[in-house]
Amino acid sequence: DSGVTQTPKHLITATGQRVTLRCSPRSGDLSVYWYQQSLDQGLQFLIQYYNGEERAKGNILERFSAQQFPDLHSELNLSSLELGDSALYFCASSVGRGRNTIYFGEGSWLTVV
Amino acid sequence: AQKITQTQPGMFVQEKEAVTLDCTYDTSDPSYGLFWYKQPSSGEMIFLIYQGSYDQQNATEGRYSLNFQKARKSANLVISASQLGDSAMYFCAIEGSSNTGKLIFGQGTTLQVKP
């Protein structure tokens, strides 16, 4: 158990809908990261927050947004969902802003039908 | 831009034997970190080992060790005394000097341990 908690573990939704994925980082970790894993794209970095502020952005679509709250938990919002958004979404956390061990949660499996 | 190449899509190893999973990287950053993760069929990503580019010694964590050859830009993972539970997908990743924690992953290597 990495200590990173993600909910829900599995989610099936229809195209055009909006979902929210939730992440609680490990105790004491200030950085939260979101990654997407799909068969065609592999593991892709989406976005990072550090202590509530956006720190780095990757290939995150405009339909996706994220935030980190004062209690350090984070949410990833996916809207206007398309079939291609079906993927495993990981949250990860680390103590600092970088060059620290990054621990991943178990992921949220999203299926868009 | 940074890149990770894992050239072995699939590997087999006999139980109790050692196996090496290859990883080469490309980066122009003077300082970087290299990570290995294990992903079992259940899907979670499990951190295995970390090597900093300026670390003097190769990293080791239990049965995992990293054969880091900086001049050749390779960071191969060595698993000693393979166990059936080692069967999984293994990913190599690099973090650059931006210190953001943004990891660039390779395509992964599937390891199957035979009894």
Side-chain angles (χ1 to χ4, degrees), chain A residues 21 36-39 83-89 108-112:
Chain A
L21 309 180
Q36 178 196 57
Q37 185 179 29
S38 60
L39 283 174
L83 296 178
D85 297 327
S86 295
L88 180 56
Y89 291 85
S108 292
W109 291 88
L110 172 66
T111 303
V112 182

Side-chain angles (χ1 to χ4, degrees), chain A residues 54-112:
Chain A
E54 185 182 303
R55 169 84 176 150
K57 217 166 185 177
N59 298 324
I60 187 167
L61 299 172
E62 285 192 10
R63 300 183 285 107
F64 296 0
S65 65
Q67 55 184 326
Q68 186 180 28
F69 296 88
D71 67 352
L72 301 178
H73 91 272
S74 178
E75 292 181 355
L76 178 66
N77 300 296
L78 315 174
S79 61
S80 302
L81 285 167
E82 302 174 359
L83 296 178
D85 297 327
S86 295
L88 180 56
Y89 291 85
F90 284 108
C91 173
S93 74
S94 68
V95 170
R97 287 171 288 187
R99 208 52 54 77
N100 303 118
T101 300
I102 299 169
Y103 293 94
F104 282 70
E106 294 187 350
S108 292
W109 291 88
L110 172 66
T111 303
V112 182

